[in-house]
Amino acid sequence: MTTRIGVLASGSGTNLQAILDAGLPVVVVVTDRPDVGALDRAAAAGIATVVVDRDQHLPDREAFTRAVTDALVANEVDLVAMAGFMTVLAEPIFEAFPNRVINTHPALLPSFKGWHAVEAALEAGVKVTGCTVHVATAEVDDGPILAQEAVRVLPGDTVETLHERIKDVERELYIRTIREILERGSVQ
Ligand code: GRF
């Protein structure tokens, strides 16, 4: 595997920023909506950006996924790192990048899959949660686990305070895991 990373992001992009600051070889950032922090961060770093607006594609998830995949292929990406990407992707991306799409999730999978992982962990009353880097598949928050790190839930934690502490750990874990993938030359 050579080292051309495409990052998929939807939000503030702090994971993306950490990946950029670590000097990892990101060649394109794809977002699913305009006006997100991740685009500004990519632009500031001089990285190519592509917006595949979900509102122009959904409910046609296949067409949306094909447009995202086309952008990655056009930029000769060989590792796709999802970093807070908020649209579920369909098969085409996993066919184009078999075993080469990774994701970070703010919980200890297989617990608390889905969009509200931090809230669900708080509601369940767990004392320890964390984050997981895993191989992404068409099944959301599924796929082989590559790395995990625990984060303690503190008395008085809110979704925001807990998510922030998870994200501090998550950014480090994601960078470390990507570095290992690049060194190994394969995701697994
Ligand atoms: C991360 O916690 C990620 O795991 C979750 O959304 C958050 C993205 O944060 N899916 P950011 O946009 O990288 O700051």
Side-chain angles (χ1 to χ4, degrees):
M1 188 190 286
T2 53
T3 51
R4 293 178 66 85
I5 300 173
V7 175
L8 307 185
S10 300
S12 63
T14 65
N15 276 282
L16 165 67
Q17 189 67 56
I19 291 168
L20 295 173
D21 291 347
L24 294 170
V26 177
V27 295
V28 65
V29 173
V30 182
T31 72
D32 58 356
R33 61 201 83 193
D35 304 328
V36 290
L39 287 172
D40 300 330
R41 293 177 190 273
I47 309 287
T49 58
V50 178
V51 178
V52 181
D53 195 342
R54 51 183 268 135
D55 291 343
Q56 287 174 18
H57 289 285
L58 296 185
D60 191 343
R61 209 167 286 283
E62 292 264 331
F64 172 81
T65 303
R66 275 197 300 277
V68 170
T69 305
D70 287 350
L72 296 166
V73 170
N75 283 277
E76 297 176 11
V77 162
D78 40 33
L79 176 68
V80 183
M82 300 172 75
F85 195 64
M86 305 279 276
T87 305
V88 175
L89 293 161
E91 273 298 337
I93 192 166
F94 305 106
E95 284 162 10
F97 297 95
N99 210 24
R100 283 167 180 238
V101 185
I102 59 174
N103 183 40
T104 175
H105 182 75
L108 293 174
L109 292 174
S111 292
F112 310 121
K113 296 182 178 182
W115 303 124
H116 305 293
V118 180
E119 193 178 348
L122 263 186
E123 274 172 11
V126 295
K127 302 300 178 204
V128 176
T129 182
C131 50
T132 303
V133 179
H134 66 99
V135 181
T137 61
E139 202 67 43
V140 175
D141 298 331
D142 211 76
I145 291 170
L146 298 171
Q148 289 185 308
E149 196 92 38
V151 174
R152 208 176 278 280
V153 181
L154 301 179
D157 254 340
T158 62
V159 174
E160 289 72 32
T161 59
L162 179 55
H163 198 177
E164 277 313 310
R165 278 207 321 289
I166 291 172
K167 282 172 67 168
D168 283 344
V169 175
E170 188 180 26
R171 289 187 280 263
E172 294 295 316
L173 184 70
Y174 210 14
I175 289 164
R176 212 160 61 229
T177 308
I178 293 171
R179 281 211 181 105
E180 284 167 9
I181 288 170
L182 298 183
E183 277 164 26
R184 207 165 39 238
S186 67
V187 167
Q188 288 188 84

